């Protein structure tokens, strides 16, 4: 006597393949939070890594400010930075990561940095993209 195959027996290999693909993409893929605005950071020869454990400030080419992906004005910038600092788990490791567009005028960047300094926060990191130097 032969046992009749049920229709579910044909689905088991398909389910196995789907779960293996899911595990592969979970391990191989990297999910990152995207920024509210895309900026092209200035170039740098430095090898220094970005600081972790703080808040991100994005300044677009037209001078718009985004503090942790929320559009803020100059007064909202100071209060947002101080609120994030007060909620930090490790205040001594709190860093403000500033991502600016390469086309942003320097005087606007200096104004933003002065505003950050006026809040009393001294650990500020400027995000850049590394330029590869051709070895000759």
């Amino acid at each position: 006597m032969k046992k009749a195959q049920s229709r579910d027996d044909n689905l088991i290999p398909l389910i196995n393949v789907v779960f293996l693909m899911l595990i592969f993409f979970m391990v191989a893929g990297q999910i990152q939070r995207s920024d509210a605005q895309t900026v092209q950071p200035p170039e740098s020869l430095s090898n220094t890594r970005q600081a972790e454990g703080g808040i991100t400030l994005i300044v677009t080419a037209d001078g718009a400010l985004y503090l942790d992906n929320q559009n803020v004005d100059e007064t909202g910038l100071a209060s947002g930075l101080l609120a994030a600092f007060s909620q930090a788990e490790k205040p001594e490791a709190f860093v403000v990561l500033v991502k600016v567009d390469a086309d942003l005028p320097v005087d606007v960047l200096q104004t933003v940095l002065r505003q950050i300094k006026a809040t009393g926060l001294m650990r500020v990191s400027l995000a850049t993209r590394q330029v590869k130097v051709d070895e000759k």
Side-chain angles (χ1 to χ4, degrees), residues 65 72-79 111 115:
L65 302 171
V72 295
D73 57 3
E74 293 178 5
T75 56
L77 174 62
S79 61
T111 303
Q115 291 171 348

Side-chain angles (χ1 to χ4, degrees), residues 28-82:
Q30 194 176 38
I31 299 173
Q32 291 182 339
R33 183 178 69 168
S34 62
D35 291 333
Q37 289 287 323
T38 305
V39 293
Q40 185 67 28
E43 297 176 345
S44 173
L45 297 175
S46 174
N47 254 354
T48 307
R49 289 277 181 211
Q50 293 179 5
E52 299 287 328
I55 193 165
T56 303
L57 173 65
I58 299 172
V59 186
T60 62
D62 60 354
L65 302 171
Y66 293 87
L67 190 61
D68 264 359
N69 292 329
Q70 300 295 321
N71 192 353
V72 295
D73 57 3
E74 293 178 5
T75 56
L77 174 62
S79 61
L81 287 172
L82 292 174

Side-chain angles (χ1 to χ4, degrees), residues 82-99:
L82 292 174
F85 179 73
S86 66
Q87 295 174 358
E89 292 178 14
K90 297 180 182 177
E92 66 278 355
F94 187 81
V95 178
V96 179
L97 176 62
V98 182
K99 293 182 178 180

Side-chain angles (χ1 to χ4, degrees), residues 42 59 98 100 104-115 126:
V59 186
V98 182
V100 299
L104 182 75
V106 175
D107 58 332
V108 176
L109 176 60
Q110 288 176 339
T111 303
V112 170
L113 293 176
R114 277 190 218 104
Q115 291 171 348
L126 183 64

